Amino acid sequence: MYPHSVAAVPAAAPFTDDDRAALVRQYQAVRDRTEALAAPLSAEDQTVQSMPDASPTKWHRAHTSWFFETFVLSPHLPGYTLFDPAFSYVFNSYYEAAGPRHPRPARGLLTRPGVGAIAAYRAHVDRAMTSLLSTCGQQVADLVVLGLNHEQQHQELLLTDIKHAFSLSPLFPVYVPRADPATQGSAERELAAPTGWWKIIGGIHRIGHQPHLDGGFHFDNEGPAHDALIPDFLLADRPVTNGEYLAFMADGGYRRPEFWLSDGWAAVQAQGWEAPAYWHRSDEGWQVYTLHGLEPVNTFEPVSHISFYEAAAYALWVGARLPTEFEWERAARLQASEADRASDPRDDTHPHPRPVSAGLRQDIWEWTASPYSPYPGYRPPTGALGEYNGKFMVNQMVLRGRSCATPAGHDRLSYRNFFPAHVRWQFTGLRLAQDA
């Protein structure tokens, strides 16, 4: 999100023609969605890499195809021919067991293959996958579902990466216009409804992926499910808004070291932070770059593109704290039934957070106070597909929830997103907690 991870393989079960047909439809829908997200971008847009943490759009399109080619087609489709053997080097990401790879910070230097060749590559892989899916069994199906979830993670990255690139242009390009221009940002200095608090009774509670609650698929870092001791606590019923964060800024939040962790204060000083990422000061007040272009900051929207350090500083300033990931999940399971989630209108991927409302599911990832570490009993899977999780369990913080760019299905209550404490290019914000 983010480095992706391998799912636990379910027990073997009969795999029918109806199952295969459903998998074909799922495969095509995910692959089409990637192309739809890339469609507004020119060949030049798709080639740029704005920082080492981001990747070009065309690289995302190719890498997700490389995943299917490397881990599904080559081992499981007899006679499959690689589209281009050189792509095995160019579009590998972090898989040491899969061989050498092009350096990540230099992906933007690859003017070739161009977007036309990438489109041909995707079509080549899709044709072979269609053939394989017509006869595949459960083992291959499990790999395909993993590959589709992997591609959906890259769909989110595609949006956040191109936003970072576009934000560096003095032209502030529009990725897509707003469907309803009347909903764009407002500079009014109003606040959303006052924060409510959910009181959560503590105890020993089950944490982690539970199939009967969260569905069948999950990434390995979501388990094993285990019991955690959680004291009584309070959790805010909505995230912090831009309007509330503006009050922190106006009170000298970025100039007062007493609110900051030492590393955070060092980052403020070194980076010159004075506002969330993508904010710009103007004669009319603060503006923010969005994928709809440059707009006035909307005080009702959740504050977004802040680091863990900024989230922790705001929480201390307001006299609260960040929740642990265990507190977040416990509260989430109490507040969101399956029926509530199924009827929630916020299932679509879109380029910008909507105004906050009371409830669990919002449009920003929420920083927690928990370091990204293995659950009790966790063991990384063997082989190349096990590389993308366990080896990242250091120097990262856990985020929970979802964002406006998160594909449907990736907002499981057990889902663990994770990033280093200083990053700001993702749709990251905060929800407050307090001791009861």
Side-chain angles (χ1 to χ4, degrees), residues 7 13 60 70 100 120 141 162 167 169 210 245 258 277 283 288 293 297 314 321 327 342 351 359 403 407 416 418:
H60 288 301
T70 302
I162 198 62
S167 74
S169 168
Q210 301 170 61
Y245 199 82
E258 64 266 30
D283 292 341
V288 58
V297 167
Y314 176 90
R321 60 175 175 82
E327 290 174 329
S403 85
R416 305 174 78 200
F418 53 95

Side-chain angles (χ1 to χ4, degrees), residues 339-392:
D340 292 337
R341 296 174 65 212
S343 63
D344 195 302
R346 300 188 172 201
D347 279 337
D348 58 313
T349 303
H350 47 284
H352 187 67
R354 290 165 290 201
V356 301
S357 58
L360 174 69
R361 297 180 69 244
Q362 303 287 334
D363 275 354
I364 46 98
W365 288 105
E366 299 172 14
W367 287 107
T368 74
S370 297
Y372 181 53
S373 58
Y375 284 166
Y378 172 82
R379 296 291 183 273
T382 59
L385 284 176
E387 289 190 39
Y388 258 93
N389 225 339
K391 70 180 185 181
F392 285 97

Side-chain angles (χ1 to χ4, degrees), residues 186-417:
S186 167
E188 297 179 12
R189 291 297 178 263
E190 299 180 53
L191 299 179
T195 301
W197 295 90
W198 297 323
K199 183 173 183 179
I200 310 299
I201 303 302
I204 297 176
H205 299 290
R206 200 73 173 162
I207 297 297
H209 184 268
Q210 301 170 61
H212 65 289
L213 297 176
D214 304 313
F217 178 85
H218 67 287
F219 291 113
D220 68 299
N221 67 347
E222 299 174 51
H226 62 286
D227 292 332
L229 176 61
I230 304 173
D232 297 352
F233 68 99
L234 304 175
L235 187 69
D237 68 351
R238 63 165 176 81
V240 172
T241 65
N242 286 327
E244 291 163 331
Y245 199 82
L246 280 163
F248 167 70
M249 294 163 55
D251 196 38
Y254 281 93
R255 301 187 302 275
R256 297 172 63 180
E258 64 266 30
F259 301 128
W260 295 83
L261 295 166
S262 177
D263 284 351
W265 184 245
V268 169
Q269 301 299 105
Q271 302 298 325
W273 291 344
E274 60 174 357
Y278 305 139
W279 285 34
H280 300 268
R281 195 191 300 271
S282 71
D283 292 341
E284 292 76 32
W286 285 103
Q287 294 185 302
V288 58
Y289 175 71
T290 78
L291 285 171
H292 301 306
L294 195 64
E295 298 182 345
V297 167
N298 185 326
T299 56
F300 294 95
E301 290 172 356
V303 64
S304 185
H305 297 292
I306 60 171
S307 66
F308 169 82
Y309 297 135
E310 289 161 293
Y314 176 90
L316 185 59
W317 172 77
V318 82
R321 60 175 175 82
L322 300 179
T324 68
E325 66 164 319
F326 302 141
E327 290 174 329
W328 193 100
E329 183 173 326
R330 176 59 183 162
R333 293 197 182 280
L334 291 174
Q335 296 298 325
S337 70
E338 287 300 310
D340 292 337
R341 296 174 65 212
S343 63
D344 195 302
R346 300 188 172 201
D347 279 337
D348 58 313
T349 303
H350 47 284
H352 187 67
R354 290 165 290 201
V356 301
S357 58
L360 174 69
R361 297 180 69 244
Q362 303 287 334
D363 275 354
I364 46 98
W365 288 105
E366 299 172 14
W367 287 107
T368 74
S370 297
Y372 181 53
S373 58
Y375 284 166
Y378 172 82
R379 296 291 183 273
T382 59
L385 284 176
E387 289 190 39
Y388 258 93
N389 225 339
K391 70 180 185 181
F392 285 97
M393 290 179 172
V394 65
N395 297 333
Q396 316 238 32
M397 302 302 292
V398 173
L399 300 102
R400 290 302 195 104
R402 62 183 290 279
S403 85
C404 58
T406 304
H410 287 252
D411 54 355
R412 291 183 298 277
L413 302 187
S414 60
Y415 197 107
R416 305 174 78 200
N417 199 357

Side-chain angles (χ1 to χ4, degrees), residues 51-73:
M51 62 172 174
D53 282 345
S55 296
T57 296
K58 72 175 186 180
W59 188 91
H60 288 301
R61 295 172 61 210
H63 168 70
T64 50
S65 301
W66 169 89
F67 185 97
F68 286 111
E69 184 174 65
T70 302
F71 298 118
V72 183
L73 292 172

